[in-house]
């Protein structure tokens, strides 16, 4: 019996994301190999032709409303066409996602597409190849969705060349713990050869950085805005983060190009968070406060940990805007002095009215 090509509709709901929907672009490559036509749409608008199958992706759980809106819209247009819902929200909270009206909920990674390069022709204005040289992570952090979605480290690749779009000038690694890939040195060699801007977007595990890795990282054409991203989520990581910053700097990476994500509103206390902030700034790196959200949160910026008050959480958010710079705390001497002079968290994050001679610290 002759195979009849299908038209596949790929839908990215109307939420903000700085990156293209990589899962949908991989599905596009997969279906094109099968002889099908594909169409990518953002939000809710009619496709060019009736689809035979619809895929809807999703981001964090608090973006569920535009996801549901997209499913409702396309189910109304094509009531007899099956809709598959996948992505982070669908994987983290499949029970809630099942109420969306989708016919099928897909959890985790679609392994049939893992070895395919995404079809970037559907996003011609995008300049950046998004690469997974591995999946999963051997850590088991309670605040992270990776163990639930991808599991332990797996699917490690020794080469990423074939996943780089020829015209792209940048390479984004979406590995959740790139440094655990046993083939990382082969990949470092490829990156030096490709000579495209490299961005380890998900961050690097400070606990795994030694002098050899720091040297290898320094030889790459790293993203100039934030050459390396680390995380200082728990006070127990202090020595590892301090050592990583020192080794990276000794190998030529400026401290002010090292961003350190700093989790707060989790199991920490405000005083312990302040201590980590002061540590990072004294080490000369950039502090990037990251507000904790429960994995199944349906509204963003609502959760308050039992160790924090709403006023304290909002004080951090406001300080990022007022005494920070684009949401970060740079290692400015005046900012360090303000935090160190304070007797406690509340005093450190108290914002006074501007003085005539300038300054709002």
């Amino acid at each position: 019996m002759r195979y009849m090509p299908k038209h596949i509709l790929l839908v990215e709901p109307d939420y903000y994301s700085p990156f293209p929907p990589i899962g949908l672009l991989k599905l596009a490559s997969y279906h094109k190999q099968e002889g099908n036509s594909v169409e990518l749409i953002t939000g809710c608008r009619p496709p060019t032709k009736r689809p035979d199958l619809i895929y809807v992706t999703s981001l964090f759980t608090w973006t569920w409303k535009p996801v549901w809106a997209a499913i409702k819209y396309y189910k109304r247009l094509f009531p007899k066409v099956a809709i598959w819902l996948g992505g982070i929200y669908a994987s983290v909270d499949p029970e809630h996602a099942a109420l969306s009206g989708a016919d099928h909920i897909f959890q985790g990674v679609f392994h049939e597409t893992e070895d395919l390069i995404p079809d970037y022709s559907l996003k011609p204005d995008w300049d950046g190849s998004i690469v997974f040289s591995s999946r999963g992570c051997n850590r088991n952090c309670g605040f992270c969705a990776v163990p639930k979605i991808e599991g332990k480290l797996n699917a490690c690749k020794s080469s990423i060349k074939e996943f780089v779009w020829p015209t792209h000038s940048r390479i984004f690694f979406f590995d959740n713990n790139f440094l655990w890939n046993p083939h990382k040195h082969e990949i470092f060699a490829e990156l030096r050869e490709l000579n495209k801007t490299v961005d380890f977007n998900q961050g690097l595990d400070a606990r795994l950085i030694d002098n050899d890795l720091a040297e290898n990282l320094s030889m790459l054409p790293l993203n100039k805005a934030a050459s390396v991203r680390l995380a200082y989520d728990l006070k127990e990581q202090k020595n590892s983060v301090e050592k990583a910053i020192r080794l990276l700097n000794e190998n030529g990476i400026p401290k002010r190009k090292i961003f350190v994500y700093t989790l707060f509103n989790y199991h920490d206390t405000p005083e312990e968070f302040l201590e980590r902030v002061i540590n990072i700034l004294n080490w000369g790196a950039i502090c990037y406060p990251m507000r904790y959200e429960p994995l199944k949160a349906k509204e963003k910026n609502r959760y308050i940990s039992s160790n924090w008050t709403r006023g304290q959480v909002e004080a951090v958010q406001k300080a990022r805007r007022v005494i920070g710079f684009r949401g970060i705390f740079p290692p400015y001497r005046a900012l360090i002095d303000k935090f160190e002079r304070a007797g406690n968290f509340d005093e450190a994050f108290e914002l006074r009215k501007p003085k005539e001679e300038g300054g709002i610290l």
Side-chain angles (χ1 to χ4, degrees), residues 171-226:
I171 301 173
F172 292 94
F173 280 89
F174 270 25
D175 297 48
N176 291 292
N177 204 322
F178 172 83
L179 296 182
W180 233 315
N181 186 338
H183 308 295
K184 55 185 170 290
H185 287 287
E186 294 101 304
I187 294 173
F188 282 142
E190 282 190 344
L191 293 174
R192 291 193 293 270
E193 179 185 338
L194 289 167
N195 197 34
K196 296 176 184 284
T197 300
V198 178
D199 189 319
F200 294 100
N201 192 263
Q202 305 301 88
L204 298 172
D205 192 335
R207 292 161 286 190
L208 300 179
I209 293 178
D210 55 21
N211 190 68
D212 178 57
L213 288 175
E215 182 180 10
N216 270 278
L217 289 167
S218 71
M219 291 189 289
L220 299 178
L222 296 169
N223 172 29
K224 293 181 180 179

Side-chain angles (χ1 to χ4, degrees), residues 96-229:
H96 190 271
L99 303 175
S100 64
D103 299 287
H104 306 280
I105 305 300
F106 185 85
Q107 298 173 248
V109 178
F110 190 53
H111 296 289
E112 287 84 347
T113 68
E114 279 299 276
D115 292 329
L116 299 177
I117 186 170
D119 183 6
Y120 293 107
S121 68
L122 297 176
K123 285 286 186 177
D125 296 330
W126 171 253
D127 178 26
S129 295
I130 298 173
V131 173
F132 285 93
S133 77
S134 65
R135 289 282 191 174
C137 178
N138 288 339
R139 307 289 183 193
N140 193 28
C141 302
F143 52 80
C144 182
V146 171
K148 186 176 181 67
I149 299 175
E150 299 183 11
K152 295 289 186 181
L153 189 75
N154 64 89
C156 297
K157 296 178 173 59
S158 59
S159 174
I160 53 92
K161 278 185 177 180
E162 62 184 293
F163 301 101
V164 178
W165 199 255
T167 60
H168 286 169
S169 67
R170 301 178 294 174
I171 301 173
F172 292 94
F173 280 89
F174 270 25
D175 297 48
N176 291 292
N177 204 322
F178 172 83
L179 296 182
W180 233 315
N181 186 338
H183 308 295
K184 55 185 170 290
H185 287 287
E186 294 101 304
I187 294 173
F188 282 142
E190 282 190 344
L191 293 174
R192 291 193 293 270
E193 179 185 338
L194 289 167
N195 197 34
K196 296 176 184 284
T197 300
V198 178
D199 189 319
F200 294 100
N201 192 263
Q202 305 301 88
L204 298 172
D205 192 335
R207 292 161 286 190
L208 300 179
I209 293 178
D210 55 21
N211 190 68
D212 178 57
L213 288 175
E215 182 180 10
N216 270 278
L217 289 167
S218 71
M219 291 189 289
L220 299 178
L222 296 169
N223 172 29
K224 293 181 180 179
S227 295
V228 175
R229 299 177 181 87

Side-chain angles (χ1 to χ4, degrees), residues 8 10 29 75-76 90 125 137 168 204 208 221 251 257 303 315 325:
I8 310 300
L10 308 171
S29 295
K75 180 57 72 174
R76 186 171 64 247
D125 296 330
C137 178
H168 286 169
L204 298 172
L208 300 179
N251 281 278
K257 297 297 183 182
Y303 175 78
F325 176 73

Side-chain angles (χ1 to χ4, degrees), residues 305-357:
S305 162
S306 60
N307 293 327
W308 290 69
T309 67
R310 183 169 300 279
Q312 289 171 326
V313 171
E314 291 176 354
V316 176
Q317 301 287 68
K318 188 172 183 180
R320 293 176 64 186
R321 299 190 299 269
V322 177
I323 61 176
F325 176 73
R326 294 184 179 176
I328 64 174
F329 292 144
Y332 295 151
R333 188 69 253 172
L335 187 55
I336 297 171
D337 288 343
K338 171 182 169 56
F339 287 150
E340 290 187 327
R341 286 196 307 264
N344 53 47
F345 170 89
D346 293 325
E347 185 179 337
F349 283 89
E350 181 184 11
L351 301 178
R352 296 193 293 271
K353 293 181 180 180
K355 297 180 180 179
E356 289 184 1
E357 61 270 20

Side-chain angles (χ1 to χ4, degrees), residues 232 235 238 242 245 272-285 340:
Y232 187 7
K235 61 183 180 180
K238 177 180 179 180
E242 181 180 15
I245 292 171
E272 187 266 312
F273 167 70
L274 173 61
E275 181 180 344
R276 283 184 286 133
V277 172
I278 293 173
N279 288 160
I280 294 165
L281 300 184
N282 274 323
W283 296 333
E340 290 187 327

Side-chain angles (χ1 to χ4, degrees), residues 236-285:
E236 293 79 14
Q237 299 168 354
K238 177 180 179 180
N239 292 338
S240 298
V241 177
E242 181 180 15
K243 179 183 177 183
I245 292 171
R246 175 176 57 80
L247 290 175
L248 291 166
N249 184 243
E250 288 176 353
N251 281 278
I253 296 177
K255 291 182 178 180
R256 292 200 178 200
K257 297 297 183 182
I258 301 173
F259 275 49
V260 184
Y261 294 119
T262 317
L263 187 68
F264 71 100
N265 189 40
Y266 183 52
H267 294 329
D268 57 324
T269 66
E271 302 300 332
E272 187 266 312
F273 167 70
L274 173 61
E275 181 180 344
R276 283 184 286 133
V277 172
I278 293 173
N279 288 160
I280 294 165
L281 300 184
N282 274 323
W283 296 333

Side-chain angles (χ1 to χ4, degrees), residues 48 93 147:
T48 58
D93 198 349

